[in-house]
Amino acid sequence: AALGRCQMTLLSGQRLPLQGQGTNPDEPVTIYVSAINNRLVDVDDKNSRFENLLFLQLSWRDARAKRAMRDSTLAFRNGTLDKCNRPCTSSWDLARDESQTFAPQDSCCDNVWLPALDMTNVFELPTGRLQPYQIFVDEDSDAVAWMTAIHGKYFAEMSFRSFPFDSQKLVMQFGYLPKSIVSAFVPSSATTRFLVREEGEIVSGWDVEDIKVVPKNTTQEIEASYFLSAFGTSPPNPDDPAPVPIVSAGVASDAELVSFDVEIRIVRMWKYYILNMFLPLFLLVALSFSCYLTPPESLDVRVSLQVTLFLSLTAYRFIITDALPQSSQPNSLTNLIIVYYFCISFGIPQSVVVYMLCDSSRARDEMMPPAKRSTEGRGKVVSTALKMSKREHSGELAALIDLVSLAAVMLVVIIGSTCIMLG
């Protein structure tokens, strides 16, 4: 964890957002966590990542804080301290003026204890990011508040089975601290928007529904057992004098650890996908219904229509693939396309069957021997009536098959679309 912090600090050219300092308190402290979300910048559902700007405030009680802040400030003002490494606010440059107050903009917080928290699922802290912070030490009490802006990109586990009616849980995970230092992280305030008053979309295609702080408690042994049993390929070697820690280095396996996650619940704005993806698909398959209203004798027309619609559906599928989230799980749109493929393809063998049915009586008449035709010539009126009756019967049967097929395909489209869309 320390190596990761060092590498990330060097790469970004800035200190980590929650880089701790100072001497740990004698007694465990309770830290209250407020998650004030400024803006969800981007959701990359193709790579399962998201970018977010969060104002995180940690507050606790520390009787040493006021004295530590005063000593650091006075040392800087009288020249004993050459440089203040951690001003109490990032918005001001400190002046060596002993007549100033101990307000955050005039004070140095070098000796104030701050908890060190890693960010375990962060993918990238953008170079050149703004990282304002403020440390407030209440002179009338022992309260301490540390608010800092965290702008980062994170990994996220996403599921798209209900696309485009899906919701996702975006999690910002923070590292564990021993319970001997922090007794508990307690959720406090949380807002989905901060400093942005305008109405409208926060991020393209998504709406932020909820944000909350979720405290966690575990031990090194529990975490190690979980990951080794669920994902491990080999257990630690019993002769290894210092096996790789799963959670926190330098902590006993049975030591209690505490941490917290910030969970952001987002909901996809589905109307765009309905109008631009699902509706054209439905209209495309609805055109195939006209096949069953075309005369059965027009086999070439019916087959060419179905083949054209099949190829159009295939081309449309390739076009919209780039706009879909990349996942090995089938989503509602891919399932819908499969159903529509079946409905369109069904019309080709069905058209062949009704064509052969209508053509059967005519083929028998053409293949009838001349002698039999002359014999039947005596009763020409009766024979003609029988032929017409047979053809009408064949035509009625073909029309009935067309109507039943049309009703069946329409039911499959309607019921299948409804079930798939509702999950």
Side-chain angles (χ1 to χ4, degrees), residues 190-308:
T191 65
T192 59
R193 186 179 292 199
F194 183 55
L195 300 178
V196 180
R197 294 180 178 271
E198 294 80 5
E199 297 294 330
E201 295 184 10
I202 297 178
V203 61
S204 177
W206 297 90
D207 184 35
V208 179
E209 186 178 64
D210 184 34
I211 181 172
K212 62 181 179 180
V213 177
V214 180
K216 299 189 297 183
N217 295 273
T218 187
T219 65
Q220 186 90 272
E221 185 176 4
I222 292 175
E223 289 295 292
S225 300
Y226 169 74
F227 286 105
L228 288 175
S229 61
F231 309 105
T233 56
S234 62
N237 193 305
D239 297 328
D240 189 346
V244 175
I246 301 298
V247 178
S248 181
V251 178
S253 61
D254 58 347
E256 292 187 78
L257 303 172
V258 294
S259 181
F260 65 93
D261 292 342
V262 175
E263 296 183 357
I264 304 173
R265 174 70 63 177
I266 59 174
V267 179
R268 192 186 297 272
M269 295 181 177
W270 50 268
K271 292 182 180 179
Y272 168 83
Y273 298 94
I274 294 297
L275 294 176
N276 292 276
M277 292 185 181
F278 285 80
L279 184 58
L281 281 176
F282 180 79
L283 295 177
L284 193 65
V285 75
L287 290 175
S288 67
F289 298 162
S290 61
C291 169
Y292 305 102
L293 303 177
T294 305
E297 296 84 0
S298 304
L299 178 63
D300 54 343
V301 175
R302 295 175 63 147
V303 171
S304 62
L305 174 62
Q306 298 288 11
V307 171
T308 301

Side-chain angles (χ1 to χ4, degrees), residues 29-271:
V29 298
T30 300
I31 297 182
Y32 295 84
V33 183
S34 297
I36 314 298
N37 205 55
N38 177 257
R39 179 171 290 274
L40 181 62
V41 181
D42 182 45
V43 178
D44 184 1
D45 53 9
K46 291 183 178 296
N47 298 302
S48 296
R49 299 171 189 164
F50 70 96
E51 183 177 355
N52 190 59
L53 176 57
L54 174 77
F55 283 89
L56 186 73
Q57 176 169 301
L58 307 177
S59 56
W60 63 94
R61 296 188 179 277
D62 187 354
R64 310 167 301 163
K66 181 168 63 175
R67 179 64 180 272
M69 182 269 291
R70 283 178 170 268
D71 291 346
S72 299
T73 303
L74 292 175
F76 174 76
R77 290 176 181 176
N78 62 30
T80 305
L81 187 65
D82 293 334
K83 179 183 178 182
C84 178
N85 295 313
R86 183 73 70 97
C88 292
T89 180
S90 60
S91 304
W92 296 79
D93 292 328
L94 297 182
R96 298 183 186 272
D97 186 355
E98 296 186 6
S99 64
Q100 290 182 330
T101 64
F102 290 96
Q105 65 269 20
D106 302 322
S107 303
C108 179
C109 289
D110 274 4
N111 295 330
V112 178
W113 175 78
L114 301 175
L117 289 172
D118 293 332
M119 301 168 64
T120 57
N121 70 325
V122 67
F123 169 71
E124 179 185 3
L125 296 175
T127 303
R129 68 191 184 278
L130 296 177
Q131 191 173 292
Y133 72 89
Q134 179 170 308
I135 304 169
F136 174 75
V137 180
D138 190 0
E139 292 197 73
D140 298 327
S141 67
D142 54 1
V144 182
W146 179 22
M147 176 178 279
T148 183
I150 304 176
H151 180 194
K153 297 180 180 180
Y154 307 86
F155 298 106
E157 295 182 2
M158 300 183 182
S159 175
F160 306 105
R161 288 186 180 275
S162 302
F163 174 87
F165 305 105
D166 56 323
S167 62
Q168 305 293 340
K169 182 175 68 174
L170 310 179
V171 181
M172 301 172 61
Q173 298 176 336
F174 295 88
Y176 287 92
L177 287 177
K179 208 166 184 178
S180 59
I181 300 176
V182 177
S183 59
F185 288 100
V186 180
S188 188
S189 303
T191 65
T192 59
R193 186 179 292 199
F194 183 55
L195 300 178
V196 180
R197 294 180 178 271
E198 294 80 5
E199 297 294 330
E201 295 184 10
I202 297 178
V203 61
S204 177
W206 297 90
D207 184 35
V208 179
E209 186 178 64
D210 184 34
I211 181 172
K212 62 181 179 180
V213 177
V214 180
K216 299 189 297 183
N217 295 273
T218 187
T219 65
Q220 186 90 272
E221 185 176 4
I222 292 175
E223 289 295 292
S225 300
Y226 169 74
F227 286 105
L228 288 175
S229 61
F231 309 105
T233 56
S234 62
N237 193 305
D239 297 328
D240 189 346
V244 175
I246 301 298
V247 178
S248 181
V251 178
S253 61
D254 58 347
E256 292 187 78
L257 303 172
V258 294
S259 181
F260 65 93
D261 292 342
V262 175
E263 296 183 357
I264 304 173
R265 174 70 63 177
I266 59 174
V267 179
R268 192 186 297 272
M269 295 181 177
W270 50 268
K271 292 182 180 179

